[in-house]
Structures are given as C-alpha cells and as structure tokens.
C-alpha cells in the first residue's frame, strides 16, 4: 500500500505527460500479454463423448489418440475427452455428432441400426466366431467395413476408427446361461435390438439398457441376466452385482469413433492427416491388445469371486439352432446392403 502511494505521488509530481506514458506502457504490456496467451491457445478443439469410464480400455485408447494428436500438432489441436456419459449416453451419440452438437463421439456400432440396419451383421449369432474372421471383417476398406463406413456418412458423421471391444458374454447370478434352457424365463439386459432377438429366440425376455445404467439394473434386479463384453466387467465393477460369466462369444462387439462430417471437412489437409494418422495408431493398438485386455478382465473377475463357464459344443449347437430366426429377421430388415454383407461374410 505504501509503495502504491509512492508511485502515485511521483506520477502527480511529474504531471499528465508522465501519466500518459505510464498508461501507454501498461496498455502495451496488456496487449502483449494477451497475444502471448493466445499463442498458446489451440487452433482446433476436438471434444469427444465417451460413455465408459476413462480407465476402460476404450478410454485409454482415446488417451493414446489425444497424446498422438497433440504431440504431432504441437498443441495446435486440442483433444478433450468427456468420459462416463458426462455429455451424452451411448444412444445419444449418433445424433449429437451428426448434428454438430459435439465434434466427436464413441458409440457402439449397433447404435446406427436405425439408420443403417445392416450394421448388425456383427450381431448375427456366431457368424464371426474367430479372431481371424473378425480382423478380416473390420479391416479398413474391407468388403464388410467399407460399405458400413460409407453408409454411416449419410447420418452426417465420418468414421475415424473402429475400437475392438471383444466377444459378447452372458452375465448372471446364481448359475450360468450356458444353453437355451438356462435362458428361459430370464429378463436379460441387451444393448441392441438384434441381440434382443437372440435372447427372445432362445427363450428369454430382452430389456434394452445402456452401458452406463447396467450396474444399477443388475443391482436392483431389473434384469436377471445381461449381455456385455468382458472388459466391461472390470471397468464397471460388474463383479459386485453378478457372480457368473458364460463365455458364449455369440457376437462381436465393435465401437466406432465418429466425427461430425461438416466439422471434419472444414479442417485443413494437414489437420486431417494428423488426426487420421493418430486414429490409425489408436485402432491398431486396441485391436492388437484386445485378447490381452479380455484375459486381464477374466482374471479380475475371478479374483473378485466370479465363476467363469464355457458352454459345451452341444450347448453352442443348441444356441445356434434356437437362434436361426435372427438371420431371417436381419435379411428382412437390412435390405440389399445386408444381403451384400452376409455374402461377404460367407467368404471369410
């Protein structure tokens, strides 16, 4: 306070000319400070909505993407990740990204079934029953993925990369869901209509529950059993509310990272290359490590008291026979694109 008085006393003595000089200096300093701050601001901000926790393998995959983009762009592109459905639930992502409400989002592929019914090719019972088949099907530009990516463009979104989530498993309490007899009379959580058809064809009653709400659905007894990927058992701590995993692997679960097409088109060629290259790194990483991710999730599940059951060959044959109607429903709804994808899948 004494220092301030001293300064102003000197200013008063030196007169208005000195005052003007001081004000000019202060103003110039403020402008320089603002310009310096703006120099550190990103040219492009890319917000990504994720329904899973950041600690999930999809969250970690986004962190890898963020690191790549920000490093290669020298901070000119900033990636902001909003995990645990802070902004949008999984089912809301396609509309949010397509409309431009957010630049990017992660959604399970089946969330596009309303606009592109053929995407549920991956949920046809036991169609992609090996890692080799899955890799061929999801390869960029393949006879299966290529047409799907193109069709999704019609929703206002561009697919950046696919995120492997693993095979579908059954969760239950008090016993496994190892065959159609075990399914009968059970209320089962699903995350897509085609998976619901599988449940109903094999004797259960399907209930559509988003990933972020399934823990409560199990805890409250809203459903008796559920369908998910085993990595979700670890990241969502589902071992706290269910006690048995049945490794059916009756469907391949894929997530996709999409960006708003108009936003994407406004980027420079250089910016698109940086983001596209980072997407390629992230996609290869998660695909190559999915087996390890699943193995770790099974280990965590067992350590937390869960029983892991593998159905017999006879049980799988019974599931296949009971669920054959799912294919017929798919053919009726998926149209020419669905027929095209089924034909391509038969050649894998």
């Amino acid at each position: 306070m004494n220092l301030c008085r001293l300064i102003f006393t000197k200013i008063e003595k030196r007169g208005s000319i000195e005052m003007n000089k001081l004000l000019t200096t202060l103003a110039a300093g403020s402008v320089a400070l603002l310009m310096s701050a703006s120099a550190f601001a990103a040219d492009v901000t890319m917000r990504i909505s994720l329904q899973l926790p950041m600690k999930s393998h999809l969250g970690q995959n986004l962190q890898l993407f963020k690191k790549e983009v920000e490093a290669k762009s020298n901070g000119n592109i900033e990636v902001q990740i909003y995990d645990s459905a802070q902004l949008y639930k999984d089912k809301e992502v396609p509309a949010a990204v397509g409309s431009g409400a957010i630049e990017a989002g992660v959604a399970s592929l089946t969330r596009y079934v309303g606009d592109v019914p053929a995407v549920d090719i991956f949920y046809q019972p036991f169609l992609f029953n090996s890692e080799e088949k899955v890799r061929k099907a999801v390869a960029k530009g393949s006879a299966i993925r290529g047409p799907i990516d193109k069709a999704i463009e019609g929703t206002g979104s561009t697919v950046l990369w696919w995120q492997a989530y693993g095979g579908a498993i059954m969760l239950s309490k008090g016993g496994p869901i190892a065959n159609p007899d075990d399914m009968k009379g059970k209320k089962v959580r699903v995350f897509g209509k085609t998976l619901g058809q599988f449940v109903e064809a094999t004797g259960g009653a399907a209930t559509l529950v988003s990933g972020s709400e399934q823990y409560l659905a199990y805890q409250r007894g809203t459903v008796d059993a559920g369908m998910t990927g085993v990595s979700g058992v670890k990241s969502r701590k589902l071992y706290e509310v269910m006690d048995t995993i049945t490794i059916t692997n009756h469907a391949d679960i894929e997530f996709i990272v999409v960006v708003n097409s108009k936003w994407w088109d406004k980027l420079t060629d250089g910016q698109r290359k940086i983001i596209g290259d980072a997407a390629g790194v992230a996609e290869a990483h998660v695909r190559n490590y999915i087996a390890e991710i699943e193995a770790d999730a099974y280990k965590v599940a067992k350590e937390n008291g869960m029983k892991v059951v593998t159905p017999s060959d006879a049980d799988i044959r019974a599931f296949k026979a009971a669920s054959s109607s799912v294919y017929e429903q798919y053919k009726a709804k998926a149209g020419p694109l669905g027929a095209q994808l089924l034909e391509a899948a038969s050649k894998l």
Side-chain angles (χ1 to χ4, degrees):
M1 183 65 73
N2 291 333
L3 180 60
C4 290
R5 284 200 192 98
L6 180 60
I7 291 172
F8 280 108
T9 300
K10 288 184 177 182
I11 289 173
E12 287 174 354
K13 288 180 179 178
R14 291 182 183 180
S16 61
I17 293 177
E18 293 297 326
M19 173 67 85
N20 289 337
K21 285 182 179 180
L22 179 60
L23 291 175
T24 300
T25 301
L26 290 173
S30 298
V31 171
L33 183 61
L34 288 172
M35 290 179 68
S36 175
S38 65
F40 291 99
D43 294 331
V44 173
T45 298
M46 180 181 181
R47 297 169 299 161
I48 307 178
S49 177
L50 172 68
Q51 62 138 321
L52 290 155
M54 193 69 79
K55 64 184 178 182
S56 69
H57 80 268
L58 297 193
Q60 293 302 300
N61 190 237
L62 290 183
Q63 288 278 34
L64 171 62
F65 170 76
K66 172 183 170 71
K67 182 179 178 181
E68 287 283 320
V69 168
E70 294 182 347
K72 296 295 172 58
S73 70
N74 293 318
N76 291 325
I77 304 174
E78 180 185 6
V79 178
Q80 299 175 355
I81 305 168
Y82 295 87
D83 67 319
S84 302
Q86 292 178 59
L87 299 183
Y88 300 101
K89 294 179 181 178
D90 184 49
K91 63 183 179 182
E92 298 169 336
V93 168
V97 175
S99 68
I102 191 170
E103 292 79 31
V106 180
S108 54
L109 183 61
T110 190
R111 290 304 182 188
Y112 283 89
V113 74
D115 295 302
V116 188
V119 299
D120 270 1
I121 183 74
F122 288 93
Y123 289 169
Q124 298 312 295
F126 307 98
L127 180 60
F128 298 102
N129 56 358
S130 72
E131 177 66 15
E132 182 183 7
K133 285 184 180 181
V134 170
R135 280 184 173 269
K136 288 180 178 179
V138 304
K140 193 170 185 178
S142 76
I144 293 176
R145 173 176 168 176
I148 289 176
D149 283 357
K150 184 66 178 176
I152 288 175
E153 288 179 8
T155 69
S157 294
T158 298
V159 178
L160 270 189
W161 81 93
W162 287 41
Q163 292 181 309
Y165 200 72
I169 62 167
M170 299 298 303
L171 293 177
S172 53
K173 197 170 185 178
I177 309 291
N179 55 57
D181 288 337
D182 295 331
M183 188 81 82
K184 289 179 181 176
K186 297 286 195 311
K187 292 180 292 183
V188 182
R189 177 262 170 171
V190 297
F191 49 94
K193 290 184 179 179
T194 299
L195 295 175
Q197 292 166 2
F198 173 81
V199 167
E200 290 164 0
T202 54
T207 301
L208 197 62
V209 178
S210 69
S212 57
E213 296 172 341
Q214 65 174 315
Y215 184 101
L216 287 177
Y218 300 140
Q219 186 181 54
R220 295 171 178 173
T222 305
V223 292
D224 306 305
M227 201 179 292
T228 189
V230 69
S231 63
V233 174
K234 176 184 175 182
S235 64
R236 296 187 184 280
K237 299 183 178 181
L238 300 181
Y239 48 76
E240 294 179 350
V241 287
M242 302 299 263
D243 61 24
T244 306
I245 294 173
T246 306
I247 308 176
T248 50
N249 283 333
H250 56 281
D252 174 54
I253 307 172
E254 297 290 334
F255 279 72
I256 55 175
V257 183
V258 292
V259 293
N260 176 263
S261 295
K262 291 181 179 178
W263 176 83
W264 179 251
D265 292 341
K266 289 178 181 177
L267 299 177
T268 66
D269 290 342
Q271 290 166 341
R272 282 195 293 270
K273 185 178 189 316
I274 288 171
I275 292 173
D277 288 349
V281 170
E283 177 162 347
H285 187 271
V286 72
R287 185 69 57 185
N288 291 336
Y289 280 91
I290 188 61
E292 184 178 317
I293 290 166
E294 288 191 302
D296 180 61
Y298 279 118
K299 179 183 176 183
V300 170
K302 290 177 180 178
E303 288 174 349
N304 283 275
M306 294 195 83
K307 183 179 181 182
V308 178
V309 176
T310 301
S312 66
D313 290 344
D315 287 331
I316 295 298
R317 286 196 296 271
F319 266 131
K320 286 182 177 180
S323 61
S324 60
S325 61
V326 177
Y327 282 87
E328 299 308 315
Q329 293 178 72
Y330 176 77
K331 291 175 185 176
K333 292 181 179 179
L337 179 56
Q340 176 186 335
L341 298 184
L342 278 174
E343 175 65 18
S346 71
K347 296 177 181 178
L348 292 178

